[in-house]
Amino acid sequence: MRYAVIMAGGSGTRLWPMSTAALPKQLIPFINGKSLLEVAADRLEGLVDAERIYICTGEKFRGVIRKSLPRFSEEQILGEPMGRDTLAAVGLPGAVLDAADPDATIAVFTADHLIEPVDVFQQRVNIGYEIVEQDAKRIVTFGIKPTHAETGYGYVQLGEPVDGNEHCHHTGDFKEKPDADTAERYYKDGRYLWNAGMFIWRASTLMDCIARYEPDVHAGLMKIAEAWHTKRRRKVLEEVYPTLRKISVDYAVLEPASKDAKLELITVDMPVKWLDVGGWPAYGKTLKPDETGNRAGGEAKVITLGSADNLVVSDEADHVIALLGVSDLTVIHTGKSTLICSPDAADMMKELYAKVKEMFGEEYV
């Protein structure tokens, strides 16, 4: 049976001050009035039966998600007591679904991405499902053709085609965020795609990988799965989940799996427009510029004079932001905080977030 899981547990610190601990980026309705999570869920309509789509997120966001996405039942929202990185986030639904359905095939997506056109996305995901359904030892990842030499994304190397299918290749090495020279080499090479962070695997295969590569995590997940359909679910989940090793699925599973003779990693190319909305520069790309390159998002009321190529976002509809004689600025205004920075400073956002928290307290982050 086919299932899909949307991972929606990120903190979104690089989109502060709009993204906060109480309402992180994936839940903010700033994509044409929808949240990134709503967009991700809509993208799966018609691809997988609605009742077999799950959301793995922080338990504290359950109420917000149920309100914005009422079509998801309580059982379809897998609430994490706390964030433990992506191995735990994919391992939880993997353990639960493997226990319920020995033939479960799971596609894993994230709530960070904008992907167009949707029909091409669904067509390639269908190919991925078929590949895994044909052979349980296969793990599928998806690659996006680079449009430039990007240092902020991971890359996947393409090997030989699989069964003559030009869209499917044996997977070479996974490369984490490269330096500028290496990214330029990957871009020109043509055999490296951006790692889209989307995967398809049999639940049983995933759990076997975790058992072999991260046995302590597997033992914890088994305890949770055994209690899942009992009155002990919440108690066991809250006791065990915080003890799981905090590590990404890329490091814990995909890297060792790529060298594992028992497995076959396959990359399906996905020729789509793909945007990882990881920070304000990326979010700015979702907005249409005016004649001087200024972009406004959210509820922003903006006046510009002698100003160009600025990004302005506000969550207050009755607040006017005026820009006079400035260029290349990012201005983000909320009821509690205002950020003014250069787009080039995006890499410093996590450091700024930590300083705000340290100096002024958690209510401002």
Side-chain angles (χ1 to χ4, degrees):
M1 199 76 74
R2 294 182 178 184
Y3 299 85
V5 175
I6 305 172
M7 294 191 294
S11 58
T13 56
R14 289 182 292 166
L15 282 165
W16 181 87
M18 194 73 71
S19 176
T20 65
L23 194 72
K25 68 175 181 180
Q26 63 270 23
L27 303 180
I28 304 169
F30 63 175
I31 307 294
N32 297 320
K34 290 187 175 184
S35 69
L36 285 164
L37 177 57
E38 289 177 88
V39 173
D42 290 347
R43 198 159 49 233
L44 298 180
E45 286 189 3
L47 180 64
V48 181
D49 290 344
E51 67 273 13
R52 290 198 290 274
I53 302 174
Y54 292 79
I55 297 171
C56 187
T57 186
E59 177 61 34
K60 63 183 177 181
F61 304 130
R62 180 181 294 272
V64 176
I65 293 173
R66 290 284 288 126
K67 185 175 181 179
S68 62
L69 287 162
R71 65 183 184 270
F72 282 83
S73 68
E74 290 287 345
E75 285 297 309
Q76 288 174 273
I77 299 174
L78 308 178
E80 300 175 283
M82 64 185 301
R84 299 302 293 169
D85 215 325
T86 54
L87 176 61
V90 301
L92 175 60
V96 170
L97 293 176
D98 185 41
D101 179 359
D103 296 319
T105 300
I106 305 174
V108 177
F109 307 100
T110 77
D112 300 315
H113 302 159
L114 297 177
I115 302 172
E116 293 179 340
V118 172
D119 61 336
V120 176
F121 160 80
Q122 292 197 353
Q123 188 259 346
R124 295 304 165 91
V125 172
N126 265 319
I127 290 175
Y129 273 121
E130 291 170 358
I131 287 171
V132 174
E133 287 164 348
Q134 291 167 6
D135 191 335
K137 74 173 184 293
R138 290 173 166 175
I139 294 176
V140 165
T141 185
F142 295 89
I144 310 295
K145 184 177 181 179
T147 57
H148 58 279
E150 174 61 56
T151 60
Y153 299 155
Y155 288 73
V156 59
Q157 182 186 36
L158 298 182
E160 294 299 315
V162 177
D163 300 331
N165 189 326
E166 61 180 342
H167 303 305
C168 307
H169 290 77
H170 294 286
T171 304
D173 292 333
F174 286 93
K175 303 291 186 180
E176 280 306 300
K177 300 174 183 178
D179 58 33
D181 289 343
T182 304
E184 185 68 27
R185 179 165 57 83
Y186 290 168
Y187 175 59
K188 292 179 178 178
D189 185 284
R191 293 175 300 163
Y192 290 87
L193 304 181
W194 286 336
N195 182 1
M198 300 181 285
F199 315 103
I200 301 181
W201 41 47
R202 292 283 183 95
S204 56
T205 300
L206 171 65
M207 298 314 297
D208 178 63
C209 287
I210 298 175
R212 290 189 288 124
Y213 310 146
E214 294 286 339
D216 291 342
V217 173
H218 182 268
L221 291 171
M222 289 298 96
K223 290 179 183 178
I224 294 170
E226 289 165 5
W228 194 256
H229 295 290
T230 73
K231 294 180 180 179
R232 298 169 50 246
R233 176 196 295 187
R234 173 167 291 186
K235 181 176 184 295
V236 173
L237 185 63
E238 291 178 348
E239 287 178 353
V240 175
Y241 202 83
T243 71
L244 301 180
R245 185 185 181 199
K246 193 172 184 180
I247 185 173
S248 75
V249 69
D250 298 79
Y251 286 124
V253 171
L254 293 173
E255 285 195 3
S258 68
K259 302 174 180 65
D260 193 328
K262 295 181 178 180
L263 300 170
E264 183 180 7
L265 264 66
I266 295 171
T267 297
V268 176
D269 67 63
M270 191 175 279
V272 295
K273 290 176 62 179
W274 176 80
L275 182 64
D276 182 351
V277 188
W280 289 118
Y283 174 73
K285 294 177 182 179
T286 72
L287 305 172
K288 185 178 180 180
D290 66 13
E291 64 276 6
T292 55
N294 296 301
R295 302 169 190 260
E299 302 291 333
K301 283 184 170 66
V302 182
I303 297 174
T304 63
L305 184 60
S307 300
D309 302 320
N310 299 288
L311 170 64
V312 183
V313 186
S314 174
D315 66 359
E316 293 193 321
D318 60 351
H319 187 91
V320 173
I321 299 175
L323 302 184
L324 180 62
V326 296
S327 298
D328 297 312
L329 287 181
T330 296
V331 181
I332 315 297
H333 173 80
T334 72
K336 282 194 171 184
S337 306
T338 300
L339 168 71
I340 303 172
C341 71
S342 162
D344 295 336
D347 290 343
M348 300 173 64
M349 281 299 299
K350 288 190 175 183
E351 181 182 352
L352 176 66
Y353 182 93
K355 283 187 174 292
V356 171
K357 183 177 180 179
E358 176 187 349
M359 293 179 67
F360 305 114
E362 293 190 356
E363 74 172 289
Y364 289 96
V365 295

